[in-house]
Amino acid sequence: MVFGLSRKKQIDEYEAEGEVERIYHEIRQTFRVSGINLIFRTWARYDKFFLVLWNSIRPNAGTRLFEDAADSVRAQAVLRAGRLDRLRVPANVSLGESQAYQLKAALDLYHYINPKLLVMASAVRLSLTGGRVRETIEGAKFLEMIERGVPEKMYPMEMISEDPKEERINELFADIRQVLNLPSINSDYRTLALWPDYLIEAWKRLRPMIGRQDYVEAAEEVRQVARDSAGRLPYPVISREQLEELGEDAGEITQITEKFEDILAPLIINIALFQLDWHDRRQLVLSPFPAAAR
Amino acid sequence: MTAGNLFSLLSRRRRDETTTMNSKGNRMEWRDYQAAQKVAELNGRFMSFAEEGRGLPILLLHGIPTWGYLWHRLIPALAETRRVLAPDLLGFGYSDKSDRFDRSIRCQTEMIATWMEATEMHGAAVVGHDIGGGIALRLATLYPHLVSHLCLMNSVCYDSWPIEMMLQFGHPEADRKMSASAAQTVLKQALKKGFSNSPNDGILEGLLAPYATEIGKRSLIRNAASLNTNQTTELTHLLPRIHAPALILWGEDDPFQPLKYGERLAWDIPKTRLIRIANARHFVMLDQPQEVERHLLVFLES
């Protein structure tokens, strides 16, 4: 294994069939998201695990508690990112009116979904490494379920190929892979590459910040908020024993999950930094797609 | 880059008869076009459009599987005397490509009419190609106050559409069976048949650029699935009532929308002139841009 992400090829949405296709549909509905992120596309290759995993994630993901947990992670990321240097990307790149409109919509999409993915990854990692996700339901708030379905104005999770035709984007992806030690480019960067001038400039400004003490601490705080919340989710998540009973490679899956938990926290900080170029901090701590009760 | 800069650049390139588009290298011309697009929100959807020039409005409506970039060679000349607007239809180009709305030409017509009303764009010259022509026909028949001049270029009409290739592309299974890159290959091969002179890779890449992603491909499949011949056949009895002067420019070797349909339109619509463009197929404005430009300018001045 390269570093923790799977050697197996991910399953893209258009390739999904049978149970995976069904689960992808349920993910879009339950997570309220317009596409399937890399973490799910990677997990989906372990089909027995993926089915049992989803059956344990789904009840949690539909709760107000889960949504609130993600909101806390997002708010913490905005607060911490607000203490870092501003990137000021838009001031240094020429974006048309339509491009800026769509780019902001795309940032909102990831600003919304990434904290949910991190809470989920933390919960799965916790459970697979012998920790315990709460099994008893306490109080009416735990029982409150949120609405399902992709929010009306959410940008579709459009992304370019990981192997793009344009040489400058290829070079950029290679640099992102190398600096972040990724074998696969996250959906976020592949979406932002729809506006290559923007992503090239954004990466140029972000790159020196990665690895800096204040940046690392910010990411660690975000990760910690997610871990605390993950331990308080109302329903149990797939355990190590269950995973081993399935006959899947428990070590590899645990490593993958740990890696995702690792990379999602700084990614959430990065998106918050990009967002701060466009929006007021007070606006950003709120969910871009608040969920009504079901 | 501002819209003004963009169109001067495109104009200069056009005059110099050079192309700087490059499928492998640096900046491509379609990206400049995209960068100049504006955006409007309509009924909860967003629509990207190019706007250039001042004066009486002229609306350029593209077909399937293209987007506003189709008109990039025509815009600079028209913008010298007119306010040119070239929207990407919903589900096309860089307009809204989310997955849950009607993309039929009936719905596209309503969206364009709403936009024209909201921006007080009354009495526009409307130019339509392919299904954009179907929309132009619906505007001229159902919203006649919005249309001062009508120009149809190798347009869908009557029961001339959908063509077999688009029917296959719009099959619900296409999304599952065809990757975005496979779809690009299929579409490039199909598009080439619509040109009299073999187009360069930059033009083809530009026309198909918005559909190179999985979301773009799916959106185009949804667009293809929404093609419905009933939405032009139902206009047949209204064509003789079109009061706007009309120009029909038809690439006479079009394998997709044969010339006979242009001739039938010229027969049914009053105050019409039909001009057959030689050495041109479906993409008449790219096959013979100067001839198309000349005829269109004369028509608009008439």
Side-chain angles (χ1 to χ4, degrees), chain A residues 75-152:
Chain A
Q76 186 65 22
V78 170
L79 289 174
R80 287 307 309 243
R83 292 183 208 154
L84 301 171
D85 301 336
R86 287 283 188 281
L87 296 177
R88 303 191 199 289
V89 184
N92 290 281
V93 67
S94 178
L95 281 173
E97 183 183 304
S98 170
Q99 290 178 313
Y101 178 94
Q102 294 178 66
L103 171 61
K104 286 194 277 185
L107 288 173
D108 277 349
L109 158 65
Y110 290 107
H111 191 56
Y112 176 73
I113 189 62
N114 285 349
K116 299 177 87 162
L117 299 179
L118 178 57
V119 172
M120 175 191 67
S122 293
V124 178
R125 195 268 313 156
L126 180 69
S127 195
L128 291 183
T129 53
R132 205 163 173 79
V133 173
R134 179 179 294 198
E135 295 178 30
T136 53
I137 301 172
E138 294 174 6
K141 194 171 184 186
F142 288 171
L143 294 171
E144 182 178 311
M145 302 298 285
I146 60 164
E147 62 182 337
R148 289 161 54 84
V150 183
E152 181 69 17

Coordinates of all heavy atoms in Angstrom, one line a residue, chain A residues 75-152:
Chain A
A75 N -17.5 25.3 12.0 CA -17.3 26.5 12.7 C -15.9 26.7 13.3 O -15.3 27.7 13.2 CB -18.4 26.6 13.8
Q76 N -15.4 25.6 13.8 CA -14.1 25.6 14.4 C -13.0 25.8 13.3 O -12.1 26.6 13.5 CB -13.8 24.2 15.1 CG -12.4 24.1 15.8 CD -12.4 25.1 17.0 OE1 -13.4 25.5 17.5 NE2 -11.2 25.5 17.4
A77 N -13.2 25.2 12.1 CA -12.3 25.4 11.0 C -12.3 26.9 10.6 O -11.2 27.4 10.3 CB -12.7 24.5 9.8
V78 N -13.4 27.5 10.5 CA -13.5 28.9 10.1 C -12.8 29.8 11.1 O -12.0 30.7 10.8 CB -15.0 29.4 9.9 CG1 -15.1 30.9 9.7 CG2 -15.6 28.6 8.7
L79 N -13.0 29.5 12.4 CA -12.4 30.3 13.4 C -10.9 30.2 13.4 O -10.1 31.2 13.4 CB -12.9 29.9 14.8 CG -14.3 30.3 15.1 CD1 -14.7 29.6 16.5 CD2 -14.5 31.8 15.2
R80 N -10.4 28.9 13.2 CA -8.9 28.7 13.2 C -8.3 29.3 11.8 O -7.3 29.8 11.8 CB -8.6 27.2 13.3 CG -8.8 26.7 14.7 CD -8.1 27.5 15.8 NE -6.7 27.7 15.5 CZ -5.6 27.3 16.2 NH1 -5.9 26.6 17.3 NH2 -4.4 27.6 15.9
A81 N -9.0 29.0 10.8 CA -8.5 29.6 9.5 C -8.5 31.1 9.5 O -7.6 31.7 8.9 CB -9.4 29.1 8.3
G82 N -9.4 31.6 10.2 CA -9.5 33.1 10.3 C -8.2 33.7 11.0 O -7.9 34.9 10.8
R83 N -7.5 32.9 11.8 CA -6.3 33.4 12.4 C -5.1 33.2 11.6 O -4.0 33.6 11.9 CB -6.1 32.6 13.8 CG -7.2 33.0 14.8 CD -7.0 32.3 16.1 NE -8.2 32.0 16.8 CZ -8.4 31.1 17.7 NH1 -7.4 30.2 17.9 NH2 -9.5 30.9 18.3
L84 N -5.2 32.5 10.5 CA -4.1 32.3 9.5 C -4.1 33.4 8.5 O -5.0 34.2 8.5 CB -4.2 30.9 8.8 CG -4.3 29.7 9.7 CD1 -4.7 28.5 8.8 CD2 -3.0 29.5 10.4
D85 N -3.0 33.5 7.8 CA -2.9 34.5 6.7 C -4.0 34.4 5.7 O -4.4 33.3 5.3 CB -1.6 34.5 6.0 CG -0.4 34.6 7.0 OD1 -0.6 35.2 8.1 OD2 0.7 34.1 6.7
R86 N -4.5 35.5 5.2 CA -5.5 35.5 4.1 C -4.7 35.1 2.8 O -3.6 35.5 2.6 CB -6.1 36.8 3.9 CG -7.1 37.2 5.0 CD -8.4 36.4 4.7 NE -9.4 36.9 5.6 CZ -9.5 36.6 6.9 NH1 -8.7 35.7 7.4 NH2 -10.5 37.1 7.7
L87 N -5.4 34.3 2.0 CA -4.8 33.9 0.7 C -4.9 35.0 -0.3 O -4.1 35.1 -1.2 CB -5.4 32.6 0.2 CG -5.2 31.4 1.2 CD1 -5.9 30.1 0.6 CD2 -3.7 31.0 1.3
R88 N -6.1 35.6 -0.3 CA -6.4 36.7 -1.3 C -6.2 36.2 -2.7 O -5.5 36.9 -3.6 CB -5.5 37.9 -1.0 CG -5.7 38.5 0.4 CD -5.0 39.8 0.5 NE -4.8 40.1 2.0 CZ -5.8 40.4 2.8 NH1 -7.0 40.4 2.5 NH2 -5.5 40.6 4.1
V89 N -6.7 35.1 -3.0 CA -6.6 34.5 -4.4 C -7.4 35.3 -5.4 O -6.8 35.7 -6.5 CB -7.1 33.0 -4.4 CG1 -6.8 32.4 -5.8 CG2 -6.4 32.2 -3.4
P90 N -8.7 35.6 -5.2 CA -9.4 36.3 -6.2 C -8.8 37.6 -6.7 O -8.9 38.0 -7.8 CB -10.8 36.6 -5.6 CG -10.9 35.6 -4.5 CD -9.5 35.4 -4.0
A91 N -8.1 38.3 -5.8 CA -7.5 39.6 -6.1 C -6.3 39.4 -7.1 O -5.8 40.3 -7.7 CB -7.1 40.3 -4.9
N92 N -5.9 38.2 -7.2 CA -4.6 37.9 -7.9 C -4.9 37.0 -9.2 O -3.9 36.4 -9.7 CB -3.6 37.3 -7.0 CG -3.0 38.3 -6.1 OD1 -2.2 39.2 -6.4 ND2 -3.6 38.3 -4.8
V93 N -6.1 36.8 -9.5 CA -6.5 36.0 -10.6 C -7.7 36.6 -11.3 O -8.5 37.2 -10.7 CB -6.7 34.5 -10.2 CG1 -8.0 34.4 -9.4 CG2 -6.8 33.6 -11.4
S94 N -7.7 36.5 -12.6 CA -8.8 37.1 -13.4 C -9.9 36.0 -13.6 O -9.7 35.0 -14.3 CB -8.3 37.5 -14.8 OG -9.3 38.0 -15.5
L95 N -11.0 36.3 -12.9 CA -12.2 35.4 -13.0 C -13.3 36.1 -13.6 O -13.6 37.2 -13.2 CB -12.5 34.8 -11.7 CG -11.7 33.7 -11.0 CD1 -12.2 33.5 -9.6 CD2 -11.8 32.4 -11.9
G96 N -14.0 35.5 -14.5 CA -15.2 36.1 -15.1 C -16.4 36.0 -14.1 O -16.3 35.3 -13.1
E97 N -17.4 36.8 -14.4 CA -18.6 36.8 -13.5 C -19.2 35.4 -13.3 O -19.5 35.0 -12.2 CB -19.6 37.8 -14.1 CG -20.9 38.0 -13.2 CD -21.9 38.9 -14.0 OE1 -21.5 40.0 -14.3 OE2 -23.0 38.5 -14.1
S98 N -19.4 34.7 -14.4 CA -20.0 33.4 -14.3 C -19.0 32.4 -13.6 O -19.5 31.6 -12.8 CB -20.3 32.9 -15.7 OG -20.7 31.5 -15.7
Q99 N -17.8 32.5 -13.9 CA -16.8 31.7 -13.3 C -16.8 31.9 -11.8 O -16.8 30.9 -11.0 CB -15.4 31.9 -13.8 CG -15.2 31.4 -15.3 CD -13.8 31.8 -15.8 OE1 -13.3 32.9 -15.6 NE2 -13.2 30.8 -16.4
A100 N -16.8 33.1 -11.3 CA -16.8 33.4 -9.9 C -18.0 32.9 -9.2 O -18.0 32.3 -8.1 CB -16.6 34.9 -9.7
Y101 N -19.2 33.0 -9.9 CA -20.4 32.5 -9.4 C -20.4 31.0 -9.1 O -20.8 30.5 -8.1 CB -21.5 32.9 -10.4 CG -22.9 32.4 -10.0 CD1 -23.8 33.3 -9.3 CD2 -23.4 31.2 -10.4 CE1 -25.1 32.8 -9.0 CE2 -24.6 30.7 -10.0 CZ -25.5 31.6 -9.4 OH -26.8 31.2 -9.1
Q102 N -19.9 30.3 -10.1 CA -19.8 28.9 -10.0 C -18.8 28.4 -9.0 O -19.0 27.4 -8.3 CB -19.6 28.2 -11.4 CG -20.8 28.5 -12.3 CD -20.5 27.9 -13.7 OE1 -20.4 26.8 -13.9 NE2 -20.4 28.8 -14.7
L103 N -17.7 29.1 -9.0 CA -16.6 28.7 -8.1 C -17.1 28.9 -6.6 O -16.8 28.0 -5.8 CB -15.4 29.6 -8.3 CG -14.2 29.6 -7.3 CD1 -13.6 28.2 -7.3 CD2 -13.2 30.6 -7.7
K104 N -17.8 29.9 -6.3 CA -18.3 30.1 -5.0 C -19.3 29.0 -4.6 O -19.3 28.6 -3.5 CB -18.9 31.5 -4.9 CG -17.9 32.6 -4.8 CD -18.4 34.0 -4.4 CE -19.1 34.7 -5.5 NZ -19.5 36.0 -5.1
A105 N -20.1 28.7 -5.6 CA -21.1 27.6 -5.3 C -20.3 26.3 -5.1 O -20.8 25.5 -4.2 CB -22.0 27.5 -6.5
A106 N -19.3 26.0 -5.8 CA -18.5 24.8 -5.6 C -17.8 24.8 -4.2 O -17.8 23.8 -3.5 CB -17.4 24.7 -6.7
L107 N -17.3 26.0 -3.8 CA -16.7 26.0 -2.4 C -17.8 25.8 -1.4 O -17.5 25.1 -0.4 CB -16.0 27.4 -2.2 CG -14.8 27.6 -3.0 CD1 -14.3 29.1 -2.9 CD2 -13.6 26.7 -2.6
D108 N -18.9 26.3 -1.6 CA -20.0 26.0 -0.6 C -20.3 24.5 -0.5 O -20.6 24.0 0.6 CB -21.3 26.7 -1.0 CG -21.4 28.2 -0.6 OD1 -20.5 28.6 0.2 OD2 -22.2 28.9 -1.1
L109 N -20.3 23.9 -1.6 CA -20.5 22.4 -1.6 C -19.5 21.7 -0.7 O -19.9 20.9 0.2 CB -20.4 21.9 -3.0 CG -20.1 20.4 -3.2 CD1 -21.3 19.6 -2.7 CD2 -19.9 20.1 -4.7
Y110 N -18.2 22.0 -0.9 CA -17.2 21.3 -0.1 C -17.2 21.8 1.4 O -16.8 21.1 2.3 CB -15.9 21.3 -0.8 CG -15.9 20.5 -2.0 CD1 -15.9 21.1 -3.3 CD2 -15.9 19.1 -1.9 CE1 -15.9 20.3 -4.4 CE2 -16.0 18.3 -3.0 CZ -16.0 18.9 -4.3 OH -16.0 18.1 -5.4
H111 N -17.5 23.1 1.5 CA -17.5 23.7 2.9 C -18.6 22.9 3.7 O -18.5 22.8 4.9 CB -17.9 25.2 2.8 CG -17.7 25.9 4.0 ND1 -16.5 26.0 4.8 CD2 -18.6 26.7 4.7 CE1 -16.7 26.8 5.8 NE2 -17.9 27.2 5.8
Y112 N -19.7 22.5 3.0 CA -20.7 21.8 3.6 C -20.4 20.3 3.9 O -20.6 19.8 5.0 CB -22.0 21.9 2.8 CG -23.2 21.1 3.4 CD1 -23.8 21.5 4.5 CD2 -23.6 19.8 2.8 CE1 -24.8 20.8 5.1 CE2 -24.6 19.1 3.4 CZ -25.2 19.5 4.5 OH -26.2 18.8 5.1
I113 N -19.9 19.6 2.9 CA -19.8 18.2 3.0 C -18.6 17.7 3.7 O -18.6 16.7 4.4 CB -19.9 17.5 1.6 CG1 -20.1 16.0 1.7 CG2 -18.7 17.8 0.7 CD1 -21.3 15.5 2.4
N114 N -17.4 18.4 3.6 CA -16.2 17.9 4.2 C -16.3 17.6 5.7 O -15.8 16.6 6.2 CB -15.0 18.8 3.8 CG -14.6 18.6 2.4 OD1 -15.0 17.7 1.7 ND2 -13.7 19.5 1.9
P115 N -16.9 18.6 6.5 CA -17.0 18.3 7.9 C -17.8 17.0 8.2 O -17.5 16.3 9.2 CB -17.7 19.6 8.4 CG -17.2 20.6 7.5 CD -17.2 19.9 6.2
K116 N -18.8 16.8 7.4 CA -19.6 15.6 7.6 C -18.8 14.3 7.4 O -18.9 13.3 8.1 CB -20.9 15.6 6.7 CG -21.8 16.7 7.0 CD -23.0 16.8 6.0 CE -24.1 16.0 6.6 NZ -25.4 16.3 5.9
L117 N -17.9 14.4 6.3 CA -17.1 13.3 6.0 C -16.1 13.0 7.1 O -15.7 11.9 7.5 CB -16.3 13.5 4.7 CG -17.2 13.7 3.4 CD1 -16.3 13.9 2.2 CD2 -18.1 12.5 3.2
L118 N -15.6 14.1 7.7 CA -14.6 14.0 8.8 C -15.2 13.3 10.0 O -14.6 12.4 10.6 CB -13.9 15.3 9.1 CG -12.9 15.3 10.2 CD1 -11.8 14.3 9.9 CD2 -12.3 16.7 10.5
V119 N -16.4 13.8 10.4 CA -17.0 13.2 11.5 C -17.3 11.7 11.3 O -17.0 10.8 12.2 CB -18.4 13.9 11.8 CG1 -19.2 13.1 12.9 CG2 -18.1 15.3 12.3
M120 N -17.7 11.4 10.1 CA -17.9 10.0 9.7 C -16.6 9.2 9.8 O -16.5 8.1 10.4 CB -18.5 9.9 8.4 CG -18.7 8.4 7.9 SD -19.2 8.4 6.1 CE -17.7 9.0 5.4
A121 N -15.6 9.7 9.2 CA -14.3 9.0 9.1 C -13.7 8.8 10.5 O -13.2 7.7 10.9 CB -13.2 9.8 8.3
S122 N -13.9 9.8 11.4 CA -13.5 9.7 12.8 C -14.2 8.6 13.5 O -13.7 7.8 14.3 CB -13.7 11.0 13.5 OG -12.8 12.0 13.0
A123 N -15.5 8.5 13.3 CA -16.4 7.5 13.9 C -15.9 6.1 13.5 O -15.8 5.2 14.3 CB -17.8 7.8 13.6
V124 N -15.7 6.0 12.2 CA -15.3 4.6 11.7 C -13.9 4.3 12.2 O -13.7 3.1 12.6 CB -15.4 4.6 10.1 CG1 -14.9 3.3 9.6 CG2 -16.8 4.9 9.6
R125 N -13.0 5.2 12.2 CA -11.7 4.9 12.7 C -11.7 4.6 14.1 O -11.1 3.6 14.6 CB -10.8 6.2 12.5 CG -9.3 6.0 12.6 CD -8.7 6.2 14.0 NE -9.2 7.5 14.6 CZ -9.3 7.7 15.8 NH1 -8.9 6.8 16.7 NH2 -9.8 8.9 16.3
L126 N -12.5 5.3 14.9 CA -12.6 5.0 16.3 C -13.1 3.6 16.6 O -12.6 2.9 17.4 CB -13.6 6.0 16.9 CG -13.9 6.0 18.4 CD1 -12.7 6.4 19.2 CD2 -15.1 6.9 18.8
S127 N -14.2 3.3 15.8 CA -14.8 1.9 16.0 C -13.8 0.8 15.5 O -13.8 -0.2 16.2 CB -16.1 1.9 15.2 OG -16.9 0.8 15.6
L128 N -13.1 1.0 14.5 CA -12.2 0.0 13.9 C -11.0 -0.2 14.8 O -10.3 -1.2 14.7 CB -11.8 0.3 12.5 CG -12.9 0.2 11.4 CD1 -12.3 0.5 10.0 CD2 -13.6 -1.1 11.4
T129 N -10.7 0.8 15.6 CA -9.5 0.7 16.4 C -9.8 0.4 17.9 O -9.1 0.7 18.8 CB -8.6 2.0 16.3 OG1 -9.4 3.1 16.6 CG2 -8.0 2.1 14.9
G130 N -11.0 -0.1 18.1 CA -11.4 -0.5 19.4 C -12.1 0.5 20.3 O -12.5 0.2 21.4
G131 N -12.3 1.7 19.8 CA -13.1 2.7 20.5 C -14.5 2.4 20.4 O -15.0 1.4 19.8
R132 N -15.3 3.2 21.0 CA -16.7 2.9 21.1 C -17.5 4.1 20.7 O -17.4 5.2 21.2 CB -17.1 2.5 22.5 CG -18.3 1.7 22.6 CD -18.4 1.0 23.9 NE -19.6 0.3 24.0 CZ -19.9 -0.9 23.5 NH1 -18.9 -1.5 22.8 NH2 -21.0 -1.5 23.7
V133 N -18.4 3.9 19.7 CA -19.4 5.0 19.4 C -20.6 4.7 20.1 O -21.1 3.5 20.2 CB -19.6 4.9 17.8 CG1 -20.8 5.9 17.5 CG2 -18.4 5.3 17.1
R134 N -21.2 5.7 20.8 CA -22.3 5.5 21.7 C -23.4 4.6 21.1 O -23.8 4.8 20.0 CB -22.8 6.8 22.2 CG -24.0 6.7 23.1 CD -24.4 8.1 23.5 NE -23.4 8.8 24.3 CZ -23.6 9.8 25.1 NH1 -24.8 10.3 25.1 NH2 -22.6 10.4 25.7
E135 N -24.0 3.8 21.9 CA -25.0 2.9 21.4 C -26.4 3.2 22.0 O -27.4 2.7 21.5 CB -24.7 1.4 21.8 CG -23.4 1.0 21.1 CD -23.1 -0.4 21.5 OE1 -24.0 -1.2 21.8 OE2 -21.9 -0.8 21.6
T136 N -26.5 4.1 23.0 CA -27.8 4.4 23.5 C -28.2 5.7 23.1 O -27.4 6.7 22.9 CB -27.7 4.3 25.1 OG1 -26.7 5.2 25.5 CG2 -27.5 2.9 25.6
I137 N -29.5 5.8 22.9 CA -30.1 7.1 22.4 C -30.6 7.9 23.6 O -31.4 7.3 24.4 CB -31.2 6.8 21.4 CG1 -30.6 6.1 20.2 CG2 -31.9 8.1 21.0 CD1 -31.6 5.6 19.3
E138 N -30.2 9.1 23.8 CA -30.6 9.9 24.9 C -31.2 11.2 24.4 O -30.5 11.9 23.7 CB -29.4 10.2 25.9 CG -28.8 9.0 26.5 CD -27.6 9.3 27.3 OE1 -27.3 10.5 27.4 OE2 -26.9 8.4 27.8
G139 N -32.4 11.5 24.8 CA -33.0 12.8 24.6 C -33.6 12.9 23.2 O -33.2 12.2 22.2
A140 N -34.5 13.8 23.1 CA -35.3 14.0 21.9 C -34.4 14.5 20.7 O -34.6 14.2 19.6 CB -36.4 15.0 22.1
K141 N -33.3 15.3 21.0 CA -32.5 15.8 20.0 C -31.8 14.7 19.2 O -31.6 14.8 18.0 CB -31.5 16.8 20.5 CG -30.9 17.6 19.5 CD -30.0 18.8 20.0 CE -29.5 19.6 18.8 NZ -28.6 20.6 19.2
F142 N -31.5 13.7 19.9 CA -30.8 12.5 19.2 C -31.8 11.9 18.2 O -31.4 11.4 17.2 CB -30.4 11.5 20.2 CG -29.2 11.9 21.0 CD1 -28.8 11.2 22.1 CD2 -28.5 13.0 20.7 CE1 -27.7 11.5 22.9 CE2 -27.3 13.4 21.5 CZ -26.9 12.7 22.5
L143 N -33.1 11.9 18.6 CA -34.0 11.3 17.8 C -34.5 12.1 16.6 O -35.0 11.6 15.6 CB -35.3 10.9 18.6 CG -35.0 9.9 19.7 CD1 -36.2 9.8 20.6 CD2 -34.7 8.6 19.1
E144 N -34.2 13.4 16.6 CA -34.6 14.2 15.5 C -33.9 13.9 14.2 O -32.6 13.8 14.2 CB -34.4 15.7 15.8 CG -34.9 16.6 14.7 CD -34.8 18.1 15.0 OE1 -35.2 18.5 16.2 OE2 -34.2 18.8 14.2
M145 N -34.6 13.7 13.2 CA -34.0 13.3 11.9 C -34.1 14.6 11.0 O -35.0 15.4 11.1 CB -34.7 12.2 11.2 CG -34.8 10.9 12.1 SD -33.1 10.2 12.4 CE -32.7 9.5 10.8
I146 N -33.1 14.7 10.2 CA -33.1 15.9 9.3 C -33.6 15.5 7.9 O -33.7 14.3 7.5 CB -31.7 16.5 9.1 CG1 -30.7 15.5 8.5 CG2 -31.3 17.1 10.5 CD1 -29.5 16.1 8.0
E147 N -34.0 16.5 7.1 CA -34.6 16.3 5.8 C -33.5 15.6 4.9 O -32.3 15.7 5.1 CB -35.0 17.6 5.1 CG -33.8 18.6 4.9 CD -34.3 19.9 4.3 OE1 -35.3 19.9 3.7 OE2 -33.5 20.9 4.5
R148 N -34.0 14.8 4.0 CA -33.1 14.1 3.0 C -33.1 14.8 1.7 O -34.0 15.7 1.4 CB -33.7 12.7 2.8 CG -33.5 11.8 4.1 CD -34.3 10.6 4.0 NE -34.2 9.8 2.8 CZ -33.2 8.9 2.6 NH1 -32.4 8.6 3.5 NH2 -33.2 8.2 1.4
G149 N -32.2 14.5 0.9 CA -32.2 15.0 -0.5 C -31.1 16.1 -0.7 O -30.8 16.8 0.2
V150 N -30.7 16.2 -1.9 CA -29.7 17.3 -2.3 C -30.3 18.6 -2.2 O -31.4 18.9 -2.8 CB -29.2 17.0 -3.7 CG1 -28.1 18.0 -4.1 CG2 -28.6 15.6 -3.9
P151 N -29.7 19.6 -1.5 CA -30.3 20.9 -1.4 C -30.5 21.5 -2.8 O -29.6 21.3 -3.7 CB -29.3 21.7 -0.6 CG -28.6 20.7 0.2 CD -28.5 19.5 -0.6
E152 N -31.5 22.2 -3.0 CA -31.9 22.8 -4.3 C -30.8 23.5 -5.0 O -30.6 23.3 -6.2 CB -33.2 23.7 -4.1 CG -33.7 24.3 -5.4 CD -34.4 23.2 -6.3 OE1 -34.7 22.2 -5.8 OE2 -34.6 23.6 -7.4

